[in-house]
């Protein structure tokens, strides 16, 4: 292949390894060329030598989970080309299949970076979709991207593929490649890639496939290594292990006036635990000023009863956030992993100062942000050189107690705390001057900075599900109300959230209709009936390994059952099929009981008029969301 000047030889690739079939499809991100290499027992499908020529051109590869599967298979084939190539097509595929299965079953299958013959970028890794909390398959992400085709592998990997089945599997591979390309060109992905490439150059350390948390940790390690004048590999081995943690040794001087709050301080001060029991030891709940406060490893949380809270003529609602709370808490109080000593605090402070030099939203600002935030999380990670659980306790305990003290001070002076979440609160105040003075005193005492935003409306369901409308017109929506910035909501630029791809994007129309109703007073009926994006009406579900979805209908008085796989996208319609979730253990569960659905795993047409949508279902779901944040409940007939 002749490489054009504009061609950087970057290819999005995916492979399929079946018992008698090997497929690699590649898409050139610069030229748009699509190449396919197929090895099958049919002599008409033996592109093995062409595949090797492609690898010898040293393409830069981009893939989904490419580091743990696709590349190790490619690496093995390339390094054993003589042995594999000497066999028949059928035996070639058998040898490749055997190594693929071995790689799948290995706990850690990555080829070390220094051994790789090709450069690889893994969108799965950099988005941290390999993390337990964010774990996502390509099919799930395809649903989040509104990809037209979510259909799964059309053939079992361990069953022989006939000649007339080859093309369907190649087409399946093409679909995965093109959807991976869509992930690659997604705005946030491109920003993540650019950041990692730039940091790889500036740090002189390869972080092109690092997740945010790993990237932040690496930036820290490099800076600490420079200060300690130690090799990076030595710094990586450092840890501080604690046999027992006495909480009283880490709590800063603080006093409460309320009896219940005094008890909380006394209770935490009396605790002594083993580090492995830290998470459970921080769990505690109290009732203060009619609101339940919950303590935990993730921070202090509280919310007043569900409802709509609104700024009035004589009352202001203020959103208060502690600026870079946990990093600054560590810096001003000299919290650090014992094995690094005060050098850690010096590095921490320098990085915080460096971040302020770059505008918010820039790659540099974001890079330092994730580095600063990494310290707290990694301080309780035994696999990190930042590990010292005493630092975890120092930050989280004092962070919660100090925020609780601010809540008590404001409450004692006639103000009402409506919401608390880790590093911020929403407060209702009748005296802004007094409020400002009390906050300034808290800032001075704790050497921390508070940031303020006026709130117009706060719709609160619970700590994780809410809508906040600020005086400047911006909107913060969380949980069930969180909106994807890509939607055509009336004010998309004012939505703070950019809904992450690993989260569920089901029924986005319901969130749109809810926001329009609550924020702009637009009738539900008008929003739903006039919306023209078919994907916003779709629901996407995923089953656990071994479970699957099945649709059922009656045709000519006979039941027709159709298995749909683990990932299933559908829409609720007036005439359709029943949806059932099938469990490996032999039980089943009806989904959307009482409603009929249409399979939308493959979307041929996007015009809404072509689908018999059950609009009443979506209006009902919208009313549920609205009722969740209002005290007056919308009835079935209120639109």
């Amino acid at each position: 292949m002749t490489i054009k000047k504009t061609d950087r030889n970057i290819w999005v690739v995916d492979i399929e390894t079946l018992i008698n079939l090997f497929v690699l499809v590649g898409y050139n991100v610069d030229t748009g060329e699509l190449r396919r290499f197929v090895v099958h027992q049919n002599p008409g499908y033996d592109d093995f030598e062409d595949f090797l020529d492609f690898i010898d051109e040293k393409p830069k590869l981009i893939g989904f989970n490419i580091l743990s599967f696709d590349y190790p298979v490619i690496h093995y084939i390339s390094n054993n080309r003589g042995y594999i190539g000497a066999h028949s097509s059928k035996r070639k595929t058998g040898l490749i299949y055997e190594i693929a299965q071995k790689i799948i079953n290995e706990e850690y299958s990555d080829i070390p970076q220094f051994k790789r013959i090709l450069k690889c970028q893994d969108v799965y890794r950099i988005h941290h979709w390999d993390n337990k909390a964010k774990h996502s398959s390509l099919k799930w992400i395809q649903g989040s991207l509104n990809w037209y085709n979510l259909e799964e592998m059309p053939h079992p990997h361990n069953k022989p593929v006939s000649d007339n089945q080859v093309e369907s599997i190649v087409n399946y591979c093409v679909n995965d490649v093109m959807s991976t390309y869509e992930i690659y060109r997604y705005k946030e992905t491109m920003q993540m890639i650019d950041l990692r490439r730039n940091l790889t150059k500036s740090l002189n350390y390869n972080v092109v496939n690092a997740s945010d948390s790993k990237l932040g940790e690496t930036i820290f390690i490099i800076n600490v290594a420079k200060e300690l004048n130690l090799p990076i590999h030595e710094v990586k081995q450092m840890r501080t292990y604690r046999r027992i943690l006495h909480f009283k040794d880490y709590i800063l001087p603080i006093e409460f006036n309320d009896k219940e709050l005094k008890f909380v301080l006394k209770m935490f001060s009396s605790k002594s635990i083993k580090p492995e029991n830290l998470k459970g030891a921080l769990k505690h709940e109290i009732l203060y000023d009619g609101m339940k406060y919950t303590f935990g490893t993730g921070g202090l949380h509280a919310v007043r009863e569900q409802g709509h809270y609104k700024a009035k003529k004589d009352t202001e609602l203020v959103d208060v956030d502690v600026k870079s709370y946990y990093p600054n808490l560590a810096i001003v109080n000299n919290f650090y992993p014992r094995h690094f000593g005060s050098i850690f605090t010096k590095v921490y402070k320098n990085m915080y100062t460096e971040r302020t030099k770059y505008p918010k939203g820039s790659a540099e600002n974001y890079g330092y942000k994730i580095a600063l935030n990494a310290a707290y999380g990694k301080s309780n990670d035994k696999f990190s050189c930042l590990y010292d659980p005493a630092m975890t306790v120092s930050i989280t305990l004092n962070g919660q107690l100090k925020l609780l003290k601010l809540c008590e001070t404001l409450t004692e002076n006639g103000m009402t705390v409506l919401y608390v979440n880790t590093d911020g609160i929403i407060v209702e105040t009748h005296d802004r001057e007094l409020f400002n003075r009390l906050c300034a005193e808290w800032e001075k005492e704790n050497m921390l900075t508070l940031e303020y935003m006026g709130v117009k409306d706060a719709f609160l369901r619970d700590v994780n599900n809410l809508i906040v409308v600020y005086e400047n017109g911006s909107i913060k929506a969380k949980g069930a109300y969180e909106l994807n910035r890509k939607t055509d909501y009336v004010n998309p630029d004012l939505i703070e959230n950019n809904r992450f791809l690993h989260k569920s994007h089901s029924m986005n129309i319901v969130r749109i209709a809810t926001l329009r109703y609550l924020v702009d007073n637009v009738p539900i009926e008008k929003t739903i009936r006039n919306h023209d994006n078919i994907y916003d009406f779709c629901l996407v579900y995923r089953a656990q390994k071994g479970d699957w979805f099945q649709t059922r209908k009656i045709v000519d008085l006979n039941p027709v059952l159709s298995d749909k796989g683990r990932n299933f996208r559908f829409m609720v319609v007036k005439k359709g099929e029943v949806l059932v979730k099938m469990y490996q253990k032999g039980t089943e569960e009806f989904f959307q009981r009482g409603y009929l659905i249409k399979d939308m795993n493959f979307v041929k047409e996007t015009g809404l008029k072509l689908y018999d949508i059950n609009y009443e279902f979506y209006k009902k779901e919208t009313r549920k969301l609205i009722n969740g944040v209002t005290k007056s409940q919308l009835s079935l007939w209120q639109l």
Side-chain angles (χ1 to χ4, degrees):
M1 181 184 73
T2 303
I3 301 175
K4 301 176 183 178
K5 291 183 179 179
T6 57
D7 183 0
R8 295 171 294 169
N9 204 20
I10 299 175
W11 295 77
V12 178
V13 299
D14 183 53
I15 68 171
E16 302 300 336
T17 56
L18 293 89
I19 198 165
N20 69 332
L21 175 69
F22 169 74
V23 178
L24 181 143
V25 172
Y27 178 80
N28 189 304
V29 303
D30 295 319
T31 67
E33 179 185 1
L34 187 71
R35 300 188 70 181
R36 41 179 274 176
F37 305 94
V38 181
V39 183
H40 183 246
Q41 62 190 38
N42 183 330
Y45 290 109
D46 191 350
D47 301 326
F48 188 73
E49 293 302 323
D50 291 338
F51 162 76
L52 293 177
D53 289 343
F54 174 71
I55 298 303
D56 289 341
E57 290 165 359
K58 300 297 181 185
K60 303 175 186 70
L61 306 182
I62 294 168
F64 190 98
N65 198 26
I66 190 172
L67 292 178
S68 293
F69 180 67
D70 303 71
Y71 180 74
V73 173
I74 293 169
H75 186 89
Y76 168 83
I77 297 172
S78 180
N79 283 357
N80 296 275
R81 59 178 65 193
Y83 173 69
I84 298 173
H87 290 82
S88 66
S89 297
K90 184 177 181 180
R91 183 55 182 149
K92 285 189 186 96
T93 58
L95 291 169
I96 296 170
Y97 179 76
E98 288 171 12
I99 189 60
Q101 291 306 301
K102 182 174 182 291
I103 288 168
I104 289 171
N105 293 322
E106 285 180 349
E107 185 176 352
Y108 188 79
S109 57
D110 287 25
I111 303 296
Q113 185 179 301
F114 70 93
K115 289 186 177 181
R116 293 178 203 155
I117 57 175
L118 301 177
K119 293 182 178 179
C120 300
Q121 187 120 50
D122 196 334
V123 296
Y124 177 73
R125 286 279 179 91
I126 63 176
H127 278 283
H128 214 186
W129 292 328
D130 57 334
N131 176 269
K132 185 177 180 180
K134 298 171 65 176
H135 181 69
S136 302
S137 66
L138 179 56
K139 295 297 146 191
W140 180 258
I141 302 301
Q142 286 173 350
S144 299
L145 287 169
N146 292 343
W147 192 249
Y148 75 100
N149 185 359
L150 269 60
E151 293 182 338
E152 300 195 29
M153 168 66 82
H155 193 85
H157 68 85
N158 58 351
K159 302 291 184 183
V161 179
S162 64
D163 293 359
N164 60 6
Q165 292 173 323
V166 171
E167 285 303 314
S168 66
I169 295 170
V170 173
N171 290 336
Y172 171 80
C173 192
V174 170
N175 183 62
D176 281 359
V177 165
M178 298 313 297
S179 59
T180 301
Y181 172 64
E182 190 70 12
I183 299 170
Y184 165 74
R185 64 192 290 268
Y186 192 63
K187 179 183 175 183
E188 279 66 31
T189 306
M190 294 303 297
Q191 291 174 341
M192 295 168 83
I193 289 173
D194 288 343
L195 172 64
R196 283 154 178 77
R197 287 176 179 170
N198 292 335
L199 285 174
T200 294
K201 292 177 182 178
S202 62
L203 297 173
N204 194 28
Y205 193 89
N206 194 316
V207 291
V208 294
N209 287 300
S211 64
D212 277 3
S213 60
K214 189 66 178 177
L215 183 60
E217 178 189 31
T218 302
I219 294 172
F220 239 115
I221 291 171
I222 290 172
N223 281 276
V224 168
K226 287 179 181 178
E227 286 293 331
L228 293 175
N229 196 27
L230 290 174
I232 291 175
H233 71 271
E234 285 190 25
V235 173
K236 282 186 172 183
Q237 301 305 312
M238 300 173 75
R239 308 279 192 281
T240 292
Y241 295 97
R242 308 271 181 172
R243 188 179 66 83
I244 197 160
L245 297 167
H246 303 288
F247 282 12
K248 64 181 177 61
D249 295 338
Y250 311 113
I251 297 176
L252 296 169
I254 188 169
E255 293 184 3
F256 291 103
N257 300 318
D258 180 82
K259 182 179 178 181
E260 185 67 27
L261 303 190
K262 285 183 177 179
F263 172 79
V264 170
L265 179 60
K266 183 178 180 181
M267 182 271 298
F268 277 127
S269 298
S270 66
K271 277 185 176 287
S272 295
I273 64 159
K274 294 180 179 180
E276 56 267 29
N277 299 327
L278 177 57
K279 188 173 183 179
L282 291 171
K283 288 184 178 179
H284 188 70
E285 292 182 353
I286 60 166
L287 187 67
Y288 174 64
D289 189 38
M291 185 165 66
K292 183 172 71 175
Y293 285 77
T294 303
F295 298 81
T297 311
L300 181 66
H301 299 95
V303 65
R304 209 156 282 278
E305 64 179 297
Q306 76 168 57
H308 176 197
Y309 298 87
K310 188 175 182 65
K312 301 173 184 175
K313 204 170 187 179
D314 59 344
T315 304
E316 289 185 70
L317 299 184
V318 188
D319 189 323
V320 187
D321 278 313
V322 189
K323 188 175 182 180
S324 297
Y325 193 19
Y326 281 5
N328 277 322
L329 197 63
I331 291 169
V332 301
N333 293 291
N334 208 25
F335 297 150
Y336 51 78
R338 184 171 62 187
H339 50 278
F340 288 148
S342 57
I343 287 292
F344 178 88
T345 309
K346 178 184 176 182
V347 170
Y348 215 174
K349 187 173 183 179
N350 288 343
M351 290 171 64
Y352 179 79
T353 302
E354 194 66 23
R355 183 192 174 197
T356 62
K357 297 178 182 178
Y358 299 98
K360 191 173 182 180
S362 67
E364 294 84 0
N365 184 287
Y366 182 72
Y368 281 112
K369 175 184 176 180
I370 59 178
L372 292 167
N373 290 336
Y376 170 68
K378 293 295 183 180
S379 66
N380 197 37
D381 181 357
K382 288 183 178 180
F383 298 101
S384 171
C385 66
L386 299 178
Y387 179 70
D388 183 350
M391 181 176 173
T392 313
V393 171
S394 298
I395 292 176
T396 189
L397 263 184
N398 289 294
Q400 293 179 79
L401 292 172
K402 286 180 177 293
L403 196 62
L404 182 62
K405 180 60 184 178
L406 176 61
C407 293
E408 182 191 46
T409 300
L410 297 174
T411 301
E412 287 177 336
N413 285 273
M415 300 168 202
T416 303
V417 177
L418 303 176
Y419 174 79
V420 183
N421 187 13
T422 307
D423 60 354
I425 60 177
I426 296 178
V427 183
E428 182 182 69
T429 177
H430 297 271
D431 189 339
R432 186 58 186 264
E433 185 178 340
L434 175 60
F435 170 81
N436 290 343
R437 179 168 60 81
L438 294 173
C439 288
E441 290 173 357
W442 185 91
E443 287 178 301
K444 184 177 180 181
E445 180 181 349
N446 295 289
M447 296 178 287
L448 297 166
T449 302
L450 297 175
E451 299 177 315
Y452 310 90
M453 285 187 72
V455 174
K456 181 182 175 185
D457 296 274
F459 300 93
L460 307 178
R461 189 173 93 182
D462 52 54
V463 171
N464 298 313
N465 298 278
L466 54 86
I467 301 168
V468 179
V469 183
Y470 295 101
E471 290 178 350
N472 64 4
S474 63
I475 301 168
K476 176 167 69 177
K478 288 185 63 176
Y481 302 90
E482 188 176 349
L483 194 66
N484 184 354
R485 189 184 293 161
K486 290 181 69 177
T487 65
D488 54 352
Y489 178 69
V490 65
N491 296 313
D493 294 335
L494 298 180
I495 300 292
E496 284 191 359
N497 311 81
N498 186 48
R499 194 170 181 81
F500 295 110
L501 292 176
H502 70 276
K503 294 186 178 181
S504 172
H505 288 243
S506 287
M507 293 191 296
N508 208 36
I509 181 59
V510 171
R511 287 184 285 271
I512 295 171
T514 298
L515 281 166
R516 279 183 167 163
Y517 178 85
L518 293 174
V519 177
D520 303 312
N521 202 30
V522 177
I524 300 170
E525 174 87 11
K526 181 178 180 180
T527 299
I528 291 178
R529 288 281 184 178
N530 294 336
H531 196 70
D532 61 0
N533 187 336
I534 191 68
Y535 292 104
D536 286 335
F537 288 88
C538 291
L539 297 85
V540 184
Y541 282 109
R542 56 182 166 184
Q544 297 294 323
K545 188 174 182 180
D547 304 333
W548 72 98
F549 291 98
Q550 183 183 87
T551 57
R552 299 174 181 176
K553 62 182 177 180
I554 302 295
V555 178
D556 297 328
L557 301 180
N558 294 312
V560 177
L561 312 180
S562 179
D563 291 333
K564 300 297 181 179
R566 290 179 58 195
N567 294 274
F568 187 53
R569 179 171 64 193
F570 63 94
M571 187 167 57
V572 178
V573 294
K574 292 179 182 177
K575 295 180 181 180
E577 303 171 289
V578 173
L579 178 61
V580 182
K581 184 177 181 182
M582 310 297 293
Y583 292 94
Q584 189 177 26
K585 59 185 179 182
T587 59
E588 59 183 48
E589 174 188 2
F590 283 86
F591 263 50
Q592 305 304 331
R593 184 181 290 273
Y595 292 97
L596 300 176
I597 65 97
K598 179 175 177 56
D599 183 344
M600 297 293 284
N601 263 359
F602 186 86
V603 179
K604 296 180 181 178
E605 302 285 350
T606 58
L608 266 72
K609 292 181 179 179
L610 300 172
Y611 300 93
D612 193 15
I613 299 174
N614 187 339
Y615 288 107
E616 292 304 315
F617 167 79
Y618 296 97
K619 289 191 285 184
K620 181 181 177 182
E621 293 300 310
T622 303
R623 284 191 290 271
K624 287 181 183 178
L625 279 189
I626 293 171
N627 291 341
V629 291
T630 55
K631 293 179 180 178
S632 59
Q633 303 290 289
L634 279 178
S635 73
L636 184 64
W637 309 109
Q638 287 177 289
L639 302 177

